Amino acid sequence: MKGILFDLDGVIADTAVYHFSAWRQLIKKHFNCDLPDELEVKTKGVSREDSLTAILSYLKIDISEEEFEALAIEKNQLYLQSLTTMTETDILPGIKSLIDDCKSKGLKLALASASKNGPIILDKLGLAHVFDAIVDPSEVRKGKPAPDIFLAAARQLDLLPSECVGLEDSVAGITAINTAGIVSIGVGGPELNHAKARFETTKDVTLEKIEKVFKR
Ligand code: BG6
Ligand code: MG
């Protein structure tokens, strides 16, 4: 094991909730509809555009390309508003010490997030300097659940997929890691049972446990 590939939203920071509440606000305002909880799982790990497509298809709403683009921009504005007070204290429990342990063991770290806001968030969390590679999701051909972003992360670290572990909180993300031939670790509920190993919360994820899963 030479590298750890991190998802961001829901793994490093508790931003998954902000994404979905921004979608809820947006859809309520424009279409006066309430989004059910089950849609959150479908938008987790999935790009802004693919999330909006999934939401509109669930609501059976058809809109023009221009309207689509305007909604995606407005969702991001709502989302960014919820990040204004974000600081280092918003790093999820256990993640800072996991990163420190990885660093002291000489492991390479990459960010493999679908979010175009990744660099802004890492900056707010004081983590911008810790990653050896940050994949730009707009440079990746296919988003999660396709394996592309994790393959790009391994490549940018100069590692083989088989030398890496990927950490994810989303169904689409675990599928992406598995398809890439990378050892997957899920953080969350039983919807992530397709991961090689799963932990309920970030607090439960330690380097020692990751090493054990990798050797299994
Ligand atoms: C992922 C989130 O990390 O990033 C998704 O899990 C989100 O919910 C995606 O849609 C894209 O994020 P952004 O910040 O580019 O809109
Ligand atoms: Mg996530």
Side-chain angles (χ1 to χ4, degrees):
M1 184 171 90
K2 295 184 182 165
I4 313 276
L5 318 177
F6 284 80
D7 174 44
L8 172 65
D9 299 308
V11 169
I12 294 176
D14 199 7
T15 39
V17 285
Y18 298 143
H19 275 293
F20 199 61
S21 85
W23 285 124
R24 279 199 154 129
Q25 278 182 61
L26 182 86
I27 297 301
K28 185 80 190 165
K29 177 179 160 197
H30 288 270
F31 306 107
N32 196 27
C33 294
D34 295 306
L35 297 180
D37 292 346
E38 76 210 48
L39 256 186
E40 183 171 8
V41 177
K42 292 199 178 140
T43 56
K44 256 192 200 173
V46 173
S47 75
R48 196 180 307 164
E49 292 72 21
D50 290 349
S51 297
L52 182 53
T53 302
I55 290 168
L56 293 173
S57 123
Y58 171 85
L59 296 171
K60 300 191 172 59
I61 290 171
D62 218 7
I63 57 173
S64 70
E65 245 175 70
E66 292 72 30
E67 285 169 311
F68 186 97
E69 229 171 88
L71 284 178
I73 290 171
E74 192 177 341
K75 183 271 175 174
N76 196 47
Q77 286 162 348
L78 290 168
Y79 174 64
L80 288 176
Q81 277 167 24
S82 54
L83 301 185
T84 48
T85 56
M86 177 175 254
T87 66
E88 292 178 20
T89 59
D90 294 296
I91 299 174
L92 279 165
I95 292 297
K96 189 66 181 56
S97 52
L98 173 63
I99 289 173
D100 291 345
D101 290 349
C102 291
K103 285 271 169 198
S104 50
K105 280 237 172 169
L107 292 166
K108 291 185 185 172
L109 306 183
L111 190 77
S113 169
S115 174
K116 295 179 190 117
N117 295 302
I120 304 174
I121 294 175
L122 287 185
D123 209 38
K124 282 179 180 281
L125 298 178
L127 294 176
H129 58 286
V130 309
F131 290 92
D132 302 290
I134 296 176
V135 181
D136 177 352
S138 55
E139 297 284 307
V140 172
R141 214 165 55 88
K142 278 180 132 186
K144 302 172 191 178
D148 304 32
I149 195 162
F150 286 100
L151 291 172
R155 205 179 314 120
Q156 287 186 23
L157 293 180
D158 259 322
L159 297 176
L160 295 170
S162 58
E163 295 172 320
C164 300
V165 167
L167 244 63
E168 260 289 349
D169 72 318
S170 72
V171 172
I174 294 293
T175 303
I177 297 171
N178 290 344
T179 311
I182 293 169
V183 168
S184 60
I185 298 203
V187 187
E191 73 277 10
L192 306 180
N193 277 347
H194 55 316
K196 182 163 185 196
R198 176 175 75 81
F199 298 95
E200 281 292 326
T201 72
T202 53
K203 270 204 300 275
D204 309 317
V205 187
T206 62
L207 184 54
E208 210 185 331
K209 289 184 194 165
I210 294 176
E211 280 168 335
K212 274 194 192 144
V213 175
F214 188 81
K215 285 186 193 138
R216 222 160 61 196

